[in-house]
């Protein structure tokens, strides 16, 4: 089969590799399409748990192609999505019921072969039926599960005012879930006009076009939009260090800043401990997902979480370099998918 294979950071080729065979308790999925996201850019640079040789791709929708021994709950041809993350079940964190903090966390598309390929093998425990969902919706299940995890971590107070910085597909999914989890008002701030218009079309209450070159002006304007006091919840979905630094000053007294976007591992930001103390701020992280696929699928199926027209670009496997370049440029793309 054809796959995107990395041999080292920034060194990949699209080449033929043996088609994987499912072992007992596994199944093989014929990939329909796989979402590309900023995590893949970090993997390209050799960060974020990359193990070589690596086939990336962790946002997969496909159809069941072959069942390993002892797999009985799926049908050949059934549309499915794959939760890429697996925990060991034996470490201290797993035994405390905290699988996302597993010391031996594995990821299809990071530490194990993923979905920028014609076929992917996955344990049946990580495969979920997506029968009947549009493939363009199903391909967003993994980002939706990550956003669902973020909202579970955050637990918005009913009636709170929220700001999501970043209007990529992840920012838009987060904004919708924060609203349905109880926030009374959600603003999305980002620099790219067409992304903000998509956010409005999908139901966010307000948008603000950031400059990002003059963050001081952005902060002033966003504070004014919040009636001067700031936002109970500020979620950074950009992963840009200086935006994250600025985001803390937009949090209302007693509120919470969530660091959601993936930064560079070596990034550092400055926060004032006096401000954290005096204003009783909470800073929270939200990392990936592990047990929210069912919740994400439920929200996508009911239409509570909307994905209409979030996909803006489609590339073939052998156009992977173009797909990465389009994502890196950032101004024309929303969700990019790779179709083998
Ligand atoms: Zn992703
Ligand atoms: Zn573990």
């Amino acid at each position: 089969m054809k796959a995107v294979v990395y041999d080292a950071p920034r060194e990949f080729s699209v080449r033929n590799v043996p088609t994987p065979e499912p072992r007992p308790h596994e199944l093989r999925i014929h990939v329909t399409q796989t979402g590309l996201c900023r995590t893949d850019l970090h993997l390209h640079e050799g960060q974020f748990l990359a193990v070589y040789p690596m086939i990336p791709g962790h946002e997969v929708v496909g159809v069941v192609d072959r069942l390993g021994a002892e797999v009985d709950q799926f049908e050949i041809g059934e549309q499915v999505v794959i939760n890429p993350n697996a925990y060991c079940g034996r470490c201290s964190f797993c035994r405390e019921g905290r699988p996302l903090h597993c010391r031996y966390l594995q990821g299809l598309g990071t530490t194990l072969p993923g979905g920028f390929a014609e076929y992917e093998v996955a344990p049946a425990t990580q495969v979920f039926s997506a029968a009947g969902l549009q493939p363009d919706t199903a391909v967003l299940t993994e980002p939706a599960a990550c956003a669902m995890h973020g909202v579970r971590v955050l637990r918005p107070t009913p009636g709170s005012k929220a700001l999501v910085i970043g209007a990529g597909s992840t920012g838009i999914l987060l904004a919708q879930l924060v609203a349905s989890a109880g926030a009374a008002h959600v603003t999305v701030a980002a620099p790219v006009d067409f992304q903000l218009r998509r956010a409005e079309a999908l139901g966010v209450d307000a948008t603000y076009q950031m400059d990002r070159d003059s963050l001081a002006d952005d902060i002033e304007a966003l504070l004014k939009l919040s009636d001067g006091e700031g936002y109970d919840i500020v979620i950074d979905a950009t992963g840009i260090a200086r935006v994250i630094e600025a985001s803390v000053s937009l949090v209302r007294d007693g509120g919470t800043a969530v660091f959601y976007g993936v930064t560079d591992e070596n990034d550092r930001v400055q926060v004032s401990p006096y401000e954290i103390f005096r204003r009783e701020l909470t800073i929270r992280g939200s990392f990936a997902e592990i047990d929210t696929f069912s919740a994400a699928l439920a929200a996508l199926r009911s239409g509570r979480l909307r994905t209409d027209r979030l996909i803006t670009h489609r590339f073939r496997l052998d156009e992977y370099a173009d797909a990465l370049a389009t994502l890196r440029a950032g101004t024309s793309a929303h969700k990019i998918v790779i179709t083998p």
Side-chain angles (χ1 to χ4, degrees), residues 37 39 58-59 142:
C37 88
T39 302
H58 58 274
E59 302 179 1
E142 194 274 345

Side-chain angles (χ1 to χ4, degrees), residues 124-160:
T125 50
Q126 287 169 245
V127 178
F128 291 74
S129 177
L133 264 187
Q134 287 296 325
D136 283 0
T137 297
V139 77
L140 285 150
T141 307
E142 194 274 345
C146 291
M148 193 64 88
H149 174 71
V151 174
R152 280 198 187 166
V153 162
L154 176 63
R155 288 207 240 157
T157 305
S160 54

